[in-house]
Amino acid sequence: MTSLPWGLVCFVGILASGTLGNAPQPRSSQQVKPTERASAEVPGSDSFQEVQLGDDSVRGFQQQQGARTPYGGGTRSNCRNRPIDLVFIIDSSRSVRRAEFEKAKEFLQDMVDSLEIGSDATRVGLVNYASTVQIEFLLKTYFQKSSLKQALARVEPLASGTMTGMAIKTAMEKAFTAEAGARVSSVNIAKVAIIVTDGRPQDNVEEVAAAARASGIEIYAVGVDRADMMSLRLMASPPHDEHVFYVETYGVIEKLTSKFRETLCGLDPCAQGHSCQHICVNNDYSYYCKCHAGYVLNQDKRTCSHLDTCVEENDCQHVCVKNGNSYLCMCHEGYILNADKKTCSRSDACAHGHDCQHICENSNNSYICKCREGYELNADQKTCSVKKLDDPCSQGHDCQHICVNNGNSYTCKCRVGYVLNMDKKTCSRSDPCAHGHDCQHICVNNDDSYICKCRVGYVLNSDQKTCSRKNLLFSST
């Protein structure tokens, strides 16, 4: 638990004798003049420091290196502390002499003198105990500083045992209640108490102190003279270096007043508990609420709602798109977002990436796909396939005579009486007989064709190709 969280602060003032307690073991001390305390070396959080002030000593668990010493005099000027419910618990067992008890009461009066007292400010109650527990006055009894100090002056010691656990339990169950004047319904009112004891408790304090802290009471413990340090640490709230103090005698207990005044006047209202949904902002000894980025404060001034950042003012040139608690800028079709993430420039659609298999061609604010020669665009308007030609010859050719379809291409041929030249396109007149014939005897060129003849003594048969020997008997007639 951090020091003095709102709603968890409890100063328990226990002035005790504790005749059964053991005095703390002597420890080494540092001699420090009051004017030099700010620069004095400060021990670690678990070390014990003694500061000499005249013939008396004040010791306390100090903060880590660099913490300033809180002890010493100073003016008793009032501070506008955050309103708290403050209960002092005084152990007035018989080991406390009359003069020492008077010093203890002066310490409490000094504490009251330094605070802003009132029904809407700090309220103070007092629990007196020894072997029995007596509530001297409640939080709702006095709202004037003068009457409160007079009531403290009238308190008498009970002069018997040291039932510290019973006193803490009584304070928790009867002094910090709504009936007693505690403002338990408000999370903005801290619960505060101080324990000052010079001995060892005669009952169990560990469990009851833990229950008190868990209920929202933060406990400070001050030991005097023979006080048992282990008991102080069991009672006090952590961290102990901020909640446990020790004074050698009642004669210097008033030196702690400035420490507690500094603590109370330094209360951060936000740290003591608040009702802000998001952010609490300290405002003197009050506070106000704010919201995280992307939210707006509701009319109750406490809760927050999501902000439609695009409805509010934005700096997008084209389109604002809500993005969680913020927004993004986008551009109209055919434009791209510039490096500033706000303005837009007209884009070359093809230059900024496309999915055309062959050729991308800009088209207004977008693009279209085309195919290379010999290919045609598929139905997806992106990929290309080899073009299927029905009659390549009808699409144009360079044959001199005849174009012959050959699937996806063509070949050239020549008319009868001609032969295809080496270029496979042009034709030249040919000798039919030279290029092969079926005449049995003689082939005779006949322009683009040929005719067959027979040698002497033979006649051409009816097939116009073969020859037969003449019948000489009939040839003379």
Side-chain angles (χ1 to χ4, degrees), residues 334 346-347 362-367:
R346 188 175 291 277
S347 64
N362 285 313
S363 176
N364 295 324
N365 293 330
S366 186
Y367 64 89

Side-chain angles (χ1 to χ4, degrees), residues 251-306:
V252 295
I253 194 171
E254 75 275 4
K255 300 298 182 181
L256 294 177
T257 305
S258 61
K259 165 61 181 175
F260 290 117
R261 181 173 63 246
E262 175 185 308
T263 301
L264 292 175
C265 292
L267 285 176
D268 180 354
C270 293
Q272 311 310 314
H274 59 84
S275 58
C276 297
Q277 183 181 0
H278 284 187
I279 302 169
C280 177
V281 180
N282 189 354
N283 183 21
D284 198 3
Y285 66 99
S286 184
Y287 68 89
Y288 62 92
C289 302
K290 293 180 71 175
C291 298
H292 297 310
Y295 292 80
V296 291
L297 194 65
N298 295 326
Q299 289 186 349
D300 61 9
K301 302 301 181 183
R302 299 173 188 274
T303 59
C304 300
S305 297
H306 268 290

Side-chain angles (χ1 to χ4, degrees), residues 79-94:
C79 68
R80 298 183 66 199
N81 62 286
R82 181 81 171 171
I84 58 176
D85 290 337
L86 172 60
V87 173
F88 295 114
I89 303 177
I90 304 178
D91 182 345
S92 59
S93 54
R94 59 191 169 202

Side-chain angles (χ1 to χ4, degrees), residues 403-423:
C403 176
V404 179
N405 188 351
N406 185 24
N408 291 330
S409 186
Y410 63 89
T411 57
C412 298
K413 286 190 174 183
C414 298
R415 292 190 294 270
V416 177
Y418 291 82
V419 292
L420 194 64
N421 296 324
M422 294 292 292
D423 60 10

Side-chain angles (χ1 to χ4, degrees), residues 351-390:
H352 289 89
H354 61 84
D355 50 4
C356 297
Q357 184 180 359
H358 285 185
I359 301 168
C360 176
E361 187 175 286
N362 285 313
S363 176
N364 295 324
N365 293 330
S366 186
Y367 64 89
I368 58 173
C369 298
K370 290 188 174 182
C371 299
R372 293 191 292 271
E373 187 176 357
Y375 292 81
E376 57 185 359
L377 197 63
N378 294 328
D380 61 8
Q381 302 299 308
K382 298 176 181 180
T383 59
C384 299
S385 297
V386 176
K387 186 182 293 184
K388 295 180 180 179
L389 301 176
D390 294 334

